[in-house]
Amino acid sequence: MTILTVLQKRTGPILGRHPWVFSGALKNIPDGLTSGTPVELVDEAGNYLASGYFNSYSQIAVRLWGFEPGEEVNEDFFKKRIKQAFAIRENYLASKETDSYRLVYGENDFLPGLIVDKYAEYLSIQFHNPGIESWKKEIVAALNTVVKPKGIYERSDVKVRGLEGAEKQVGLLSGKVPERVLIKENGYKLYVDIIGGQKTGFFLDQRDKRAALQKYVKGKSVLNCFSYTGGFSVYALGGGAEKVVSVDSSEAALLLAEENMKLNKLSAKKCEFILADVKVYLADQVPGSYDIIILDPPAFVKDRHKVEEGLRGYKRINAAALTILPKSGILVSASCSAHVSLEQFRYTLSEAALQAKRSVQILETYTHGIDHPEAISFMEGEYLKCLFSIVS
Ligand code: SAH
């Protein structure tokens, strides 16, 4: 096992099990160490601190995945981690009504840089850096043993790979994957396009928010902005909304949204799909045209140096939505920017309320669901925030 020494003054976060160790925290890095090499970190007195893997291209030199000395890294190691993650989801989330969830959530499931989403009997997988990718064969074998999926498809076409020195990779890794996978979520049926859809195919992280929406929708008109394949729209109509309008800039997403409505036998007369830029669409709406507005945009802050610019984007769309909503209207507003904290997001919504001259009361605050556990010291991992508010 390769041993790396951590500068004494930099051991604190490692003892707190924060998963990222920056190169500046290491006393020295031996020449020729390749990405993915398992390492054990020790303090300057030689005491064991933690285990992880080295990543040569990244400023994050080591990502932690273990806290016991002498643990070997092989297929069994990955089986152990995957079993632990699988148990959380199967014990507390999966049911006859819900067969899809995030199975492995990177750092938070002690497998840094690895995302595995389970869509019914299929897996969609992302390797975020060359270090974790070097263990692909063992990880795929471990997934096949523990989860026994019908197919595993790789969607390592995320931007972060570029920063970590890796090319995009997509394709079948094992078994077969159909063009569309039929999943169940809280009793609803949804088509997921693992191969051609956005990210790993679907936004599983909004499951609990979609369910929470249902209590507000009976007899109401709902505007679902950034609808993607209509997750919130299906729940809204299923929950008794009078009308649901889905707006997105992706035609493929809207076509699937329409299919998803049909799949759940929801009335075609009550739904509309609009291919548009949400910012433009909102600017054209007259006050009072919708009772409920959902805003679930892509991350507006993708870079920690551009937080202000992104926050202005959130303020703008939220102010527009607040201007449209009638008295007692409901705003469901999400941010999936990891660089924006819940506090910052709430403050931005208060600025939007000021601009729209409305009173806003927060009714519910959400982050992720059970399938996105959060390692306690890894604040950076908490990317999703979603506030349900009533407007007057
Ligand atoms: N709410 C969805 C997930 C939304 S993901 C769900 O529950 O599944 C963000 C979506 O915003 C994507 O579908 C993307 O196509 C869309 N999008 C990005 N920029 C947009 C814009 N300016 N106007 C409209 N849609 C946009």
Side-chain angles (χ1 to χ4, degrees), residues 24-237:
L26 299 171
K27 215 167 165 194
N28 65 325
I29 298 171
D31 284 343
L33 204 57
T34 53
S35 291
T37 303
V39 297
E40 283 194 359
L41 302 181
V42 296
D43 66 12
E44 291 188 61
N47 300 307
Y48 172 84
L49 295 169
S51 310
Y53 66 85
F54 178 70
N55 210 38
S56 62
Y57 286 94
S58 176
Q59 274 202 340
I60 305 170
V62 175
R63 289 169 200 252
L64 302 184
W65 59 17
F67 304 94
E68 282 168 42
E71 196 181 16
E72 258 189 76
V73 182
N74 49 27
E75 197 180 308
D76 279 342
F77 170 92
F78 292 104
K79 267 193 227 159
K80 213 167 25 173
R81 296 286 182 283
I82 290 164
K83 261 189 200 160
Q84 193 182 342
F86 194 38
I88 296 175
R89 281 70 172 176
E90 285 295 312
N91 289 342
Y92 307 125
L93 176 64
S95 67
K96 259 201 230 143
E97 276 73 45
T98 300
D99 62 6
S100 299
Y101 47 73
R102 176 147 294 183
L103 168 62
V104 176
Y105 180 34
E107 277 73 351
N108 299 284
D109 281 306
F110 315 108
L111 288 171
L114 179 69
I115 298 292
V116 185
D117 284 344
K118 178 179 174 292
Y119 294 116
E121 292 173 291
Y122 301 90
L123 302 180
S124 182
I125 182 168
Q126 284 179 340
F127 298 89
H128 282 185
N129 62 60
I132 193 71
E133 189 169 19
S134 71
W135 294 97
K136 191 187 281 187
K137 194 172 100 251
E138 289 79 3
I139 290 169
V140 168
L143 284 167
N144 275 322
T145 312
V146 178
V147 188
K148 300 180 183 68
K150 286 188 174 163
I152 304 179
Y153 196 87
E154 179 173 9
R155 286 296 309 267
S156 298
D157 50 345
V158 276
K159 238 189 171 170
V160 60
R161 276 174 66 88
L163 307 173
E164 303 270 354
E167 304 272 302
K168 291 179 181 175
Q169 290 276 347
V170 291
L172 194 63
L173 295 181
S174 114
K176 277 188 191 154
V177 172
E179 232 169 78
R180 277 180 191 178
V181 174
L182 183 62
I183 70 159
K184 271 189 287 179
E185 192 186 90
N186 291 315
Y188 292 108
K189 292 178 193 157
L190 297 158
Y191 282 128
V192 174
D193 179 358
I194 293 180
I195 298 165
Q198 297 185 26
K199 304 281 173 83
T200 68
F202 189 55
F203 295 87
L204 293 162
D205 53 6
Q206 293 290 24
R207 180 191 316 100
D208 52 338
K209 276 67 77 182
R210 288 191 275 262
L213 172 74
Q214 291 203 296
K215 67 173 90 58
Y216 302 102
V217 297
K218 212 166 179 53
K220 298 288 162 58
S221 66
V222 179
L223 173 61
N224 182 10
C225 296
F226 310 96
S227 68
Y228 189 50
T229 54
F232 279 104
S233 304
V234 166
Y235 279 67
L237 220 48

